Amino acid sequence: MVPGGPVLVEGPVEVVLEDGRTVTSDRFLVALCACRRSRSYPFCDTSHRRRVRTGDTGDQDAGTEGATEGRT
């Protein structure tokens, strides 16, 4: 795990959501969202990079260039 980032899991994966739905990814490496900011939850779309967390320093939008929805 990377602090403040996604959980990387070797795929393919099957994730059971809280409501009982199942989502799958056949990628060889899957980034699961740990902050719940992702529009493609439970998969990470790098939305965590768009906000500065308390105690962070640096540019608020650093690293958001090239971020696309649904990419893991």
Side-chain angles (χ1 to χ4, degrees):
M1 287 182 57
V2 177
V7 177
L8 298 178
V9 180
E10 289 185 22
V13 298
E14 181 176 284
V15 179
V16 179
L17 302 176
E18 292 174 359
D19 63 4
R21 291 183 297 137
T22 302
V23 293
T24 61
S25 175
D26 60 354
R27 293 178 177 235
F28 67 93
L29 186 63
V30 179
L32 297 175
C33 179
C35 68
R36 294 190 174 255
R37 293 181 189 155
S38 176
R39 287 184 222 133
S40 58
Y41 186 83
F43 304 110
C44 180
D45 67 0
T46 68
S47 293
H48 61 273
R49 295 180 184 173
R50 294 188 184 109
R51 288 193 197 154
V52 173
R53 291 170 297 282
T54 303
D56 283 355
T57 59
D59 186 0
Q60 180 173 357
D61 293 325
T64 59
E65 295 80 24
T68 60
E69 186 173 328
R71 295 193 90 167
T72 57

